């Protein structure tokens, strides 16, 4: 049986694979995401291309050390009015981000790249559009104080699987993609390749 490695420390991505009965191990890929993003932005790369590149960097790094395994790299980028919003480093930053997104639509781009033997086998970028409700200042402050620092691990400062669901009035797209992994497409690839039963 082919070994599957998730090149990520994300507990929600691990949970999605586990709940889908996809046996895997998780090995975080240590890459300098901010430096890679900055270099790609300097080259005027699109947010979609940046998400794809970050996922590929992760998969390639772990695949180099585990060439026999199927390595899944994944990353997520939040695009708002053509610009990328990164994970917040403080409660004040996340409040500022949420004030910016309040009452407006943004996109989440979740990329997944599968490597084996140091070579890419398959890739996909899922896209979701999210319309955030206009958020009252008191609610926003109390939301952040209740949920910080956990929401600091998510772009945009929310977890849809938790209280973050209350921030939205409409979501167009796949739930798993919002969580950071286009799971249905990945399952399709793994099934087609015979890695998992289907």
């Amino acid at each position: 049986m082919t070994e599957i490695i998730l090149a990520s420390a994300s507990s929600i991505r691990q949970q999605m694979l586990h709940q889908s009965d996809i046996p895997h191990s998780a090995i975080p890929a240590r890459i300098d995401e901010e430096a890679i993003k900055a270099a790609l932005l300097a080259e005027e790369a699109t947010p979609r291309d940046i998400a794809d590149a970050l996922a590929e960097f992760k998969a390639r790094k772990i695949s180099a050390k585990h060439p026999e395994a199927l390595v899944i790299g994944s990353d997520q980028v939040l695009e708002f009015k053509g610009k990328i919003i990164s994970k917040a480093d403080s409660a004040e930053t996340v409040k500022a981000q949420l004030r910016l997104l309040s009452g407006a639509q943004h996109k989440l781009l979740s990329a997944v790249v599968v490597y084996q033997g140091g070579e890419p086998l398959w890739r996909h970028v899922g896209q979701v559009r999210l319309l955030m409700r206009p958020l009252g200042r008191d609610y926003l402050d109390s939301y952040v104080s209740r949920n910080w620092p956990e929401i600091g691990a998510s772009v945009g400062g929310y977890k849809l699987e938790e209280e973050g669901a209350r921030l939205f009035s409409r979501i167009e797209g796949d739930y798993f993609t919002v969580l950071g992994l286009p799971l249905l497409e990945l399952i399709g690839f793994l099934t087609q390749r015979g890695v998992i039963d289907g």
Side-chain angles (χ1 to χ4, degrees), residues 2-137:
T2 306
E3 180 188 10
I4 298 173
I5 298 174
L6 177 66
S8 174
S10 164
S11 59
I12 192 67
R13 289 188 182 112
Q14 292 176 46
Q15 185 181 336
M16 281 192 273
L17 292 180
H18 176 72
Q19 289 177 339
S20 302
D21 196 29
I22 298 173
H24 69 283
S25 56
I27 303 175
R30 307 289 181 204
I31 64 168
D32 189 342
E33 291 191 32
E34 292 309 312
I36 293 166
K37 266 191 221 173
L40 290 167
L41 286 169
E43 295 173 9
E44 299 184 352
T46 66
R48 185 185 190 283
D49 289 342
I50 291 170
D52 180 69
L54 289 168
E56 179 157 5
F57 269 96
K58 292 175 181 179
R60 185 168 60 213
K61 182 158 189 179
I62 300 303
S63 185
K65 296 174 185 172
H66 302 271
E68 300 304 314
L70 271 182
V71 179
I72 301 167
S74 189
D75 205 274
Q76 185 178 66
V77 164
L78 189 155
E79 179 186 350
F80 180 64
K81 296 184 177 177
K83 305 239 188 259
I84 286 178
I85 293 180
S86 297
K87 292 175 185 173
D89 57 2
S90 70
E92 289 310 309
T93 302
V94 86
K95 284 180 191 177
Q97 288 179 352
L98 289 168
R99 281 195 291 272
L100 188 67
L101 299 174
S102 174
Q105 181 175 270
H106 65 270
K107 286 193 287 192
L108 286 177
L109 301 154
S110 292
V112 57
V113 178
V114 177
Y115 258 64
Q116 189 172 37
E119 297 293 330
L121 297 181
W122 177 83
R123 64 198 330 121
H124 175 79
V125 180
Q127 177 179 291
V128 180
R129 296 176 191 275
L130 302 96
L131 179 61
M132 192 172 282
R133 298 178 187 284
L135 303 176
R137 189 175 192 91

